[in-house]
């Protein structure tokens, strides 16, 4: 047997023994590029290196297409980000969407992105990534956003059942700089992190209920819009550890 808890079980030994390595979240200890390691295990990763007029190509193994809604050729909305090209959003009508797919129905997740928000403390809700739906009184899905310049994450599990966790670090996004935002649900707690530091934690045990709505980047249902710029927008199908998130700084 191949004991994957042992340090001596190498991939070569595994091949000889006929066993396969388990699927695990990435370790960043030896990764030359931590973002590349995370993207390889992501359900969605938009680095905005591959753009057409109307779409951003997903760099994750899922191979989704994030389609433009609203004005502006995507290639003309590129700005300098912390890791190369980033995408600007005008806060009026611009967002990206990914068609519904069963692979986006997650029981645990991490949303992580570099964000530069043109924010004020009295600003309305500015979505980062959203797979939320409200139908017949049922709240379903998950999301990550700013509200009044404060970071939030939401997990929604059915009829009037959900949690919205956040409401800290007011004003941190008002400096016009890039910040690393992360929202995480591990089946027991919801965490929101800013620049690798925990901003909020809430106890919650019910997983998001699946829905058939679009996954949206930069809007919630066409009612609220992000204003600023986003880079490395990533959805992971697991709860990333604190050191993994901090390693992306």
């Amino acid at each position: 047997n191949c004991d994957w808890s042992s340090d001596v079980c190498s991939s070569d030994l595994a091949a000889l023994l006929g066993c396969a390595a388990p699927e695990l979240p990435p370790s960043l200890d030896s990764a030359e590029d931590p973002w590349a390691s995370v993207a390889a295990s992501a359900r969605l990763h938009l680095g905005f290196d591959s753009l057409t007029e109307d779409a951003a190509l997903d760099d994750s193994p899922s191979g989704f297409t994030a389609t433009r809604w609203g004005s502006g050729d995507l290639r003309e909305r590129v700005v300098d980000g912390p890791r190369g090209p980033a995408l600007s959003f005008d806060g009026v009508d611009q967002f990206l969407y990914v068609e519904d797919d069963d692979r986006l129905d997650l029981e645990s997740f991490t949303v992580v992105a570099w964000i530069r928000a043109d924010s004020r403390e009295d600003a309305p809700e500015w979505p980062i990534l959203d797979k939320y739906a409200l139908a017949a009184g049922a709240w379903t899905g998950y999301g990550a956003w700013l509200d009044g310049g404060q970071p939030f994450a939401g997990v929604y599990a059915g009829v009037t059942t959900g949690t919205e966790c956040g409401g800290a670090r007011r004003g941190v996004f008002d400096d016009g700089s890039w910040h690393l935002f992360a929202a995480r649900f591990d089946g027991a707690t919801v965490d929101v992190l800013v620049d690798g530091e925990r901003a909020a934690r809430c106890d919650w045990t019910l997983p998001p209920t699946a829905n058939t709505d679009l996954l949206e980047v930069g809007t919630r249902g066409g009612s609220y819009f992000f204003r600023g710029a986003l880079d490395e927008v990533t959805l992971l199908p697991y709860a990333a550890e604190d050191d993994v998130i901090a390693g992306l700084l």
Side-chain angles (χ1 to χ4, degrees), residues 13-90:
L13 179 58
L16 289 173
L17 296 175
C19 57
E23 294 185 10
L24 295 172
S27 170
L28 301 186
D29 293 342
S30 60
E32 293 183 6
D33 181 357
W35 277 102
S37 178
V38 165
S41 66
R43 196 56 45 91
L44 174 74
H45 177 254
L46 301 175
F48 304 120
D49 297 294
S50 302
L51 295 172
T52 67
E53 176 182 355
D54 297 315
L57 305 183
D58 172 23
D59 299 322
S60 82
S62 303
F64 291 122
T65 296
T67 303
R68 183 194 77 180
W69 183 277
S71 59
D73 183 326
L74 293 183
R75 296 166 297 186
E76 297 175 357
R77 288 167 45 193
V78 171
V79 297
D80 291 334
R83 286 178 44 81
L87 192 67
S88 63
F89 294 78
D90 65 4

Side-chain angles (χ1 to χ4, degrees), residues 123 178 233:
W178 286 96
V233 179

Side-chain angles (χ1 to χ4, degrees), residues 64 97-105 131 210-215:
F64 291 122
Y97 67 88
V98 176
E99 297 287 351
D100 178 56
D101 189 286
D102 289 347
R103 290 172 291 176
L104 300 173
D105 299 329
K131 189 68 168 69
N211 61 54
T212 58
D213 272 33
L214 303 172
L215 182 146

